[in-house]
Amino acid sequence: MTQPLKIAIAGLGTVGTGAVKILQTNKDAITARSGRPVVVTAVADLDKKRDRGIDLSGITWFDDAAAMVATADIDVYVELIGGAEGIARKTVEAALARKIHVVTANKALLAHHGVALAKTAEAVGITLAFEAAVGGGIPIIKALREGLAANTISRITGILNGTCNYILTTMRNTGRDFADVLKEAQELGYAESDPTFDIDGIDTAHKLAILTSLAFGTQVDIKSVHAEGIRHISALDIQYAEEFGYRIRLLGLAERDKKTGGIVQRVYPCLITSDQPLAGVEGVFNAIVAEGDFVGRSVYEGRGAGAGPAASAVIADVVDIAAGRRTPTFGIPATQLKALPSVSLDQHVGEYYVRLLVVDRPGVLADIAGAFRDEAVSMESVLQRGKTENANVNIVIITHETQESNLLRALKRLKANAALVEPPHMMRIENLG
Ligand code: HSE
């Protein structure tokens, strides 16, 4: 009989437990697709007592992942600890040094050290696989690396964080506030251990940096990603956006910059028209739109977080290794990935949503119009609704296309105006064509 593939899993939390469960539940199909049995021979986690509802008999338990990687007789190391540094990085490097294949869901590690790790793995002919790092259960890594290999990609746009999408869509559907919905997302197991990574756009930035490398053949470059999060989005903004025919989504966008030849990578909450495919993506779902010169636009959607989807992606990588399928980590040899200039958002040209909470008195609207006029920002629509409880009023403006630096200068002028009750709220409008 063919030798089984022996795997060790570090981190028996939501995803690790899910991975063991899939291997036990779908054993026959996975064996058939792998061409040999896949067995978990070792696991590492600090908490041995918790009942995870899985059968761990016959599996060697380690409290220390580093000891497991150093001593266990294994073919594949599945790293589900997380974090760009520390034990995750140390054990992945140790596994590669021992010529043990690595499967990881660790987007932070890949965003920060992906190129170096890929070079190490490729130099010794070992796989470093990370389908679970982006888009949860959506096979987007494989799609970009293999399925779209014939195309020149012009743009990648994605909803890449399940927690944020869950928060934004639940806020819209229920009118509940941000903190309350965040707590629920954490309880459902969607959020990172440190939820600031989700809500400040950092998790999306990590994932976008990885997709950019695969799509454009560039070195993973997290430092070039402009990232903003969703903490400041209020139910009011969601409601006003709706009135203008938009939905708010936290997007990651990467596209080639015609002027510099570099890649613009940006993450922020933005308004998109409600007829866009990404506007219909609700809850914990993720979706990625890839635009290629021959394939046109293709859309990939699925659950972006949670035990089942992430574990499904982890095991897909394990099956590839078992079956002997291997490609360069980021689609082309890591030594050939290009370093391109980063592009600043100052030069960004687009339409904008601005909400200003102001004291309701004569001349305020004229002051606002004056600041926009002085910085050559043209308004497309203005909306003002009755007074709020404190006799203040919200004025919402949609601009025509303008350069971001002009709008920022106009908002700076307005900040000095005594009629402004709080700093302006600004969001970009993305025309996804
Ligand atoms: N915290 C992540 C999310 C989990 O909410 O999408 C998957 O990376």
Side-chain angles (χ1 to χ4, degrees):
M1 187 175 138
T2 323
Q3 286 292 313
L5 185 85
K6 292 175 284 198
I7 71 172
I9 302 176
L12 222 47
T14 311
V15 184
T17 305
V20 176
K21 212 174 269 176
I22 295 190
L23 286 170
Q24 289 171 354
T25 309
N26 290 340
K27 189 173 168 199
D28 293 346
I30 290 167
T31 305
R33 290 177 184 137
S34 302
R36 52 177 164 153
V38 174
V39 291
V40 181
T41 57
V43 293
D45 198 284
L46 289 173
D47 181 0
K48 197 173 180 179
K49 289 207 191 87
R50 183 151 49 102
D51 178 13
R52 295 170 166 86
I54 48 174
D55 180 10
L56 293 169
S57 55
I59 299 175
T60 308
W61 186 283
F62 287 82
D63 296 322
D64 176 11
M68 179 176 78
V69 170
T71 60
D73 172 25
I74 50 172
D75 304 302
V76 182
Y77 171 50
V78 179
E79 184 273 307
L80 301 173
I81 301 166
E85 305 297 336
I87 186 77
R89 183 180 178 192
K90 202 174 126 191
T91 52
V92 165
E93 286 174 347
L96 295 176
R98 279 191 70 197
K99 298 194 182 172
I100 293 167
H101 301 290
V102 173
V103 172
T104 180
N106 190 336
K107 50 260 158 155
L109 178 71
L110 288 156
H112 286 275
H113 307 294
V115 178
L117 293 172
K119 281 182 184 164
T120 308
E122 289 167 25
V124 291
I126 284 292
T127 293
L128 167 63
F130 51 91
E131 187 62 73
V134 185
I138 308 169
I140 188 61
I141 304 297
K142 222 179 223 303
L144 287 175
R145 193 181 53 206
E146 293 152 51
L148 300 179
N151 291 266
T152 298
I153 304 290
S154 54
R155 182 165 64 174
I156 298 284
T157 315
I159 293 173
L160 301 173
N161 186 270
T163 301
C164 287
N165 208 54
Y166 184 84
I167 292 173
L168 291 173
T169 56
T170 306
M171 281 173 74
R172 171 178 172 264
N173 294 335
T174 64
R176 284 161 58 199
D177 71 24
F178 175 82
D180 182 31
V181 185
L182 167 63
K183 197 162 156 274
E184 185 176 275
Q186 285 176 291
E187 282 161 8
L188 288 166
Y190 302 151
E192 296 298 300
S193 49
D194 177 356
T196 61
F197 271 41
D198 295 301
I199 59 183
D200 290 337
I202 301 162
D203 179 74
T204 301
H206 289 151
K207 293 167 176 170
L208 183 69
I210 295 168
L211 294 187
T212 301
S213 172
L214 288 156
F216 298 97
T218 51
Q219 293 181 3
V220 187
D221 183 11
I222 185 66
K223 290 195 187 77
S224 297
V225 184
H226 172 96
E228 296 172 24
I230 64 163
R231 276 177 206 269
H232 62 286
I233 308 289
S234 67
L236 211 54
D237 290 314
I238 294 176
Q239 197 184 312
Y240 280 126
E242 191 96 16
E243 290 193 34
F244 285 105
Y246 295 106
R247 298 274 166 83
I248 298 175
R249 291 288 182 271
L250 179 74
L251 294 188
L253 301 106
E255 63 192 329
R256 205 171 280 282
D257 179 55
K258 291 184 188 82
K259 268 190 233 150
T260 60
I263 307 290
V264 198
Q265 298 183 76
R266 45 195 214 269
V267 170
Y268 43 60
C270 55
L271 281 70
I272 55 176
T273 53
S274 49
D275 58 354
Q276 283 296 323
L278 294 179
V281 177
E282 296 270 324
V284 74
F285 278 72
N286 281 192
I288 297 106
V289 180
E291 293 166 54
D293 53 352
F294 281 80
V295 71
R297 183 176 298 186
S298 52
V299 184
Y300 309 82
E301 184 179 348
R303 284 191 172 75
S312 158
V314 165
I315 298 306
D317 282 340
V318 170
V319 170
D320 270 349
I321 294 168
R325 285 189 289 272
R326 215 163 76 77
T327 53
T329 316
F330 291 102
I332 60 175
T335 50
Q336 292 173 27
L337 293 167
K338 289 188 279 303
L340 291 183
S342 63
V343 186
S344 141
L345 260 193
D346 250 25
Q347 308 299 314
H348 180 71
V349 174
E351 296 170 346
Y352 292 82
Y353 162 99
V354 177
R355 177 167 62 84
L356 303 161
L357 182 63
V358 296
V359 179
D360 194 7
R361 66 170 178 240
V364 173
L365 196 54
D367 286 350
I368 295 170
F372 276 58
R373 176 203 57 217
D374 292 347
E375 297 300 343
V377 178
S378 172
M379 294 189 255
E380 187 200 283
S381 322
V382 181
L383 182 139
Q384 180 187 325
R385 285 279 152 74
K387 285 178 188 169
T388 63
E389 280 169 22
N390 305 322
N392 300 324
V393 71
N394 273 296
I395 295 178
V396 180
I397 300 162
I398 303 289
T399 75
H400 280 297
E401 271 205 348
T402 184
Q403 187 155 315
E404 182 149 330
S405 48
N406 288 42
L407 179 70
L408 292 179
R409 279 198 303 274
L411 297 183
K412 197 170 166 200
R413 280 175 191 264
L414 287 173
K415 268 188 209 163
N417 189 310
L420 240 75
V421 178
E422 58 186 25
H425 300 265
M426 177 276 260
M427 263 185 285
R428 299 166 187 93
I429 299 174
E430 283 299 326
N431 177 2
L432 299 177

